Amino acid sequence: MTLTEAEAIPPPVLALGHFVLLSSLSGIGIGLAKIGLALHGLSLNASALELGLIAGAQTMGLLLASLPCGLLIERFGPLRLYLIGSLLAALLCQALAGLQQALPLMLMSLLLGLCMPCRLVALNAVFMQQLAFLKPSQTGWLRGAQLIGILLIGPPLAASLFAAFGAAGSWPVIGLVFACPMLLAWKVLPGQSAQSPGAEALSLAALQRQLGLLRQEPELRANGLLDFCVQASAQFFSFFIVAITVQDLGWSAHQAACLITVHGLAFILALFFLGRLLADFPQISRPACLLLNLVALLILGLTDNAALVWLSAVLLGISLGLLQVVTLSRYAEHGRHLGHGRIAGLAVLIGPSGSLAGCLLGAALGGVIGLQPLFLFFVPVFAVFALHGLRPMLPTRFVFRRVLDE
């Protein structure tokens, strides 16, 4: 069975509920590991630098393994990669329980990050292939299910585990959370009885050719850039809005946490319930999403009014969720002729790279011009995308097309 043969995959309508459940369970594992590593570091009295390196090591591992996993899925199928990644992550969690120093924790964080793309790329590749059979309103369901686990279930569950059992007792439980979805994966993910057409052996040259797709395919490059910016702005909001509201606007920590939750819910609800708008009104809805995004960013960058901050957080969540649906559907279109495994690998590379860029932006310039004004940094970036979307109605549309395609 190959990822490029639509008929080889079981009817998605029948398996969709199980697939969404598998995605959510996989997201819970990611959320548990992310918060668990931070809590483990705090229990070791790690410095701020060490905590940053622990978190950064996991992201680095994810980035390093994303492209190789895309190639391996084309050769061996999504099920095998998902099972290997889950098993290795579960075993690493057992080893994490006994660590008592920050440096080994950084190394284990890197190794755990290397396991994540085996699961993420496998799920993304299969879902992209199945989008051809799904309703337009279901395009964002994979990402929405993952975020439910990563943002809404994983973090509070990790906090409860560490409060009750400490690091030594929590990591074996987290390992089980990584292992249990393997049972469901046998039912949901397709195996691979034959190598996908055009699949390559893992090599440096093959990885270079995979990255070269961004140079050869202007539409793929433009979509990747939009995805990068969506993830960068989303991560910037989630990471720095607490500091902005508490330090600059005088909010309580509880109010700031509630703001992040409401923003995340708006993002997830848009992924689950608003995707049909993009399919029914493509010429209007996509530029409208970008314009809505611009309004939210402008308010966040300029206002100190609490009501407007709440409103803009919701608008930003909705607009970014809808834009995520746009990027996912376009990735799927490219996957049909370039290989879903390869495109899924690129998507898993681009998304976290954008998130990392959002964090680095605040770290580099926040102390110079302040964190809140940096929301305005994203305004001209998304304005270019909005003008590109409106180009059929603009006499100078070729200018904006050239900006994105070069």
Side-chain angles (χ1 to χ4, degrees):
M1 186 184 304
T2 73
L3 284 177
T4 55
E5 294 173 343
E7 64 276 12
I9 292 183
V13 175
L14 299 178
L16 182 59
H18 293 134
F19 191 88
V20 169
L21 177 60
L22 179 62
S23 300
S24 187
L25 291 174
S26 301
I28 292 173
I30 296 173
L32 282 170
K34 183 177 180 180
I35 302 302
L37 287 166
L39 293 174
H40 195 158
L42 289 172
S43 71
L44 300 178
N45 297 315
S47 66
L49 175 61
E50 289 172 330
L51 288 173
L53 291 174
I54 290 169
Q58 187 178 14
T59 302
M60 185 58 65
L62 192 152
L63 295 176
L64 288 173
S66 58
L67 292 181
C69 284
L71 291 175
L72 291 173
I73 282 176
E74 291 289 316
R75 285 176 60 82
F76 303 112
L79 177 60
R80 192 178 300 180
L81 265 290
Y82 186 93
L83 294 177
I84 290 173
S86 298
L87 179 60
L88 291 176
L91 293 175
L92 286 171
C93 287
Q94 308 310 310
L96 275 162
L99 296 184
Q100 298 297 324
Q101 294 181 329
L103 184 59
L105 191 61
M106 293 177 205
L107 176 60
M108 296 301 287
S109 177
L110 174 66
L111 295 176
L112 198 58
L114 290 171
C115 299
M116 298 300 179
C118 294
R119 295 152 56 91
L120 292 173
V121 176
L123 291 172
N124 285 354
V126 174
F127 193 74
M128 286 179 187
Q129 196 282 332
Q130 292 195 351
L131 279 180
F133 302 98
L134 299 180
K135 299 176 182 177
S137 59
Q138 297 169 334
T139 303
W141 284 20
L142 169 67
R143 182 61 176 160
Q146 289 174 341
L147 289 178
I148 287 174
I150 294 172
L151 299 179
L152 301 184
I153 301 177
L157 183 57
S160 298
L161 286 173
F162 273 76
F165 307 113
S170 297
W171 282 113
V173 178
I174 296 174
L176 286 176
V177 174
F178 275 104
C180 286
M182 295 169 64
L183 300 175
L184 184 59
W186 283 100
K187 180 180 180 65
V188 175
L189 297 180
Q192 184 113 337
S193 59
Q195 184 172 292
S196 297
E200 297 183 86
L202 182 60
S203 65
L204 182 59
L207 293 175
Q208 290 174 338
R209 282 190 290 272
Q210 190 177 8
L211 275 176
L213 294 175
L214 293 173
R215 182 183 69 255
Q216 299 163 10
E217 303 286 338
E219 292 299 325
L220 175 62
R221 182 168 65 249
N223 189 57
L225 182 57
L226 177 59
D227 189 24
F228 181 94
C229 295
V230 166
Q231 299 300 332
S233 56
Q235 184 67 15
F236 181 83
F237 177 92
S238 300
F239 200 82
F240 293 109
I241 197 62
V242 173
I244 292 170
T245 53
V246 172
Q247 296 177 0
D248 299 341
L249 305 182
W251 291 25
S252 68
H254 176 72
Q255 289 174 312
C258 288
L259 183 70
I260 294 176
T261 301
V262 169
H263 167 80
L265 285 173
F267 193 108
I268 292 171
L269 290 174
L271 288 169
F272 274 106
F273 299 112
L274 299 182
R276 187 168 185 82
L277 293 175
L278 296 170
D280 290 345
F281 309 101
Q283 298 301 320
I284 300 175
S285 58
R286 295 180 183 182
C289 293
L290 289 160
L291 294 175
L292 188 66
N293 179 266
L294 290 173
V295 170
L297 291 169
L298 283 169
I299 296 174
L300 285 168
L302 297 173
T303 190
D304 58 0
N305 181 276
L308 289 177
V309 171
W310 282 97
L311 174 63
S312 59
V314 173
L315 295 179
L316 185 67
I318 292 173
S319 61
L320 292 178
L322 288 171
L323 290 173
Q324 185 77 96
V325 173
V326 171
T327 60
L328 287 171
S329 61
R330 289 179 178 173
Y331 279 138
E333 291 171 4
H334 290 293
R336 291 190 189 102
H337 66 277
L338 297 175
H340 291 288
R342 294 178 181 181
I343 298 302
L346 284 173
V348 172
L349 174 68
I350 292 169
S353 296
S355 298
L356 182 61
C359 293
L360 294 177
L361 175 67
L365 300 179
V368 179
I369 63 176
L371 289 171
Q372 187 174 8
L374 287 178
F375 280 111
L376 303 178
F377 173 86
F378 294 99
V379 171
V381 176
F382 282 102
V384 171
F385 285 108
L387 291 170
H388 183 256
L390 293 169
R391 69 184 186 273
M393 295 173 277
L394 296 173
T396 55
R397 58 185 180 273
F398 63 90
V399 175
F400 304 108
R401 186 181 187 88
R402 188 173 181 180
V403 168
L404 289 176
D405 291 348
E406 287 185 350

